[in-house]
Amino acid sequence: RRARLAILPEILAAAGVAGFATFMLLQVWGSFLMMGVLEEKASKVVEILLSQVRPSTLLGGKVIGLGFLALVQMLIFVAGLVVGLLLVQDIAVPGSVWGSVPLSVLTFLLGFGFYATAYAAVGSMVSRQEDATSAQLPVMFPLLAGYFIAATSIGAPDNLAVTIGSFVPFTSPVLLPFRAAMLDVPLWQLAASLVIL
């Protein structure tokens, strides 16, 4: 669990891209899902849909459909990171950076499922589009907190806030890939965090 003696630019790039991409994509696609639920509710389309489909099936279809689009966008970010790291031929990229790439995608998928349902719940409770921005703040603040913890912990990635936050489902989609790129995290902690998420 020791921090690496010298934080290489490749490690910072992997941790930064993973954290930023996860934060932005969860926020953007979660808001899209919330607005879709709100529009269906306002236009009464949801009443017709729910007469034919169970609510869990409707929500699952929305999460899977938008999740696929969000995953494609995340893979574009990851592909850009991988190509950038491969083009740097003068420096040997540490194995932890390559290990953090699939972990970033996996935590993004799990985090998207977690946050998408939270954003959909907010959309189902709001009746007007004008109220949607303020209603999503309780869902957005924990995600923002995870990003803030990661951004302020670059110099000390082994601090207690990062360690605990990588196990808490509200912050782990951002903090777990950050922590895994910056530190040698035991496999059982990675597995436990993913199971909790």
Side-chain angles (χ1 to χ4, degrees):
R1 209 176 77 102
R2 292 181 18 243
R4 293 185 177 78
L5 294 176
I7 298 176
L8 300 173
E10 299 82 14
I11 295 172
L12 284 175
V17 168
F20 182 72
T22 301
F23 168 72
M24 289 304 297
L25 292 176
L26 289 179
Q27 186 177 349
V28 167
W29 288 98
S31 295
F32 283 161
L33 185 70
M34 179 188 68
M35 296 309 279
V37 169
L38 184 59
E39 287 173 11
E40 285 179 359
K41 187 177 164 187
S43 67
K44 308 290 187 210
V45 171
V46 75
E47 294 172 5
I48 297 167
L49 291 172
L50 289 177
S51 68
Q52 302 294 320
V53 179
R54 291 182 302 157
S56 60
T57 304
L58 181 62
L59 177 62
K62 285 183 161 306
V63 170
I64 290 170
L66 285 178
F68 179 74
L69 294 174
L71 177 63
V72 169
Q73 193 167 7
M74 179 62 160
L75 290 176
I76 291 170
F77 278 119
V78 169
L81 174 67
V82 168
V83 168
L85 290 173
L86 288 173
L87 290 177
V88 178
Q89 297 177 2
D90 299 345
I91 302 170
V93 178
S96 65
V97 171
W98 297 117
S100 69
V101 171
L103 179 67
S104 297
V105 174
L106 182 59
T107 54
F108 171 75
L109 282 173
L110 294 172
F112 182 81
F114 181 81
Y115 272 100
T117 53
Y119 274 102
V122 168
S124 69
M125 292 187 292
V126 176
S127 55
R128 295 182 319 144
Q129 200 166 10
E130 296 81 24
D131 300 331
T133 303
S134 60
Q136 74 178 345
L137 290 178
V139 177
M140 193 174 67
F141 277 146
L143 187 60
L144 185 61
Y147 182 72
F148 180 74
I149 291 169
T152 57
S153 299
I154 288 177
D158 57 348
N159 69 45
L160 190 60
V162 173
T163 303
I164 292 173
S166 67
F167 290 99
V168 177
F170 292 101
T171 56
S172 66
V174 175
L175 289 176
L176 183 62
F178 169 80
R179 186 172 171 230
M182 301 286 276
L183 303 170
D184 296 318
V185 180
L187 189 58
W188 72 267
Q189 289 185 8
L190 293 173
S193 180
L194 291 172
V195 167
I196 292 169
L197 180 57

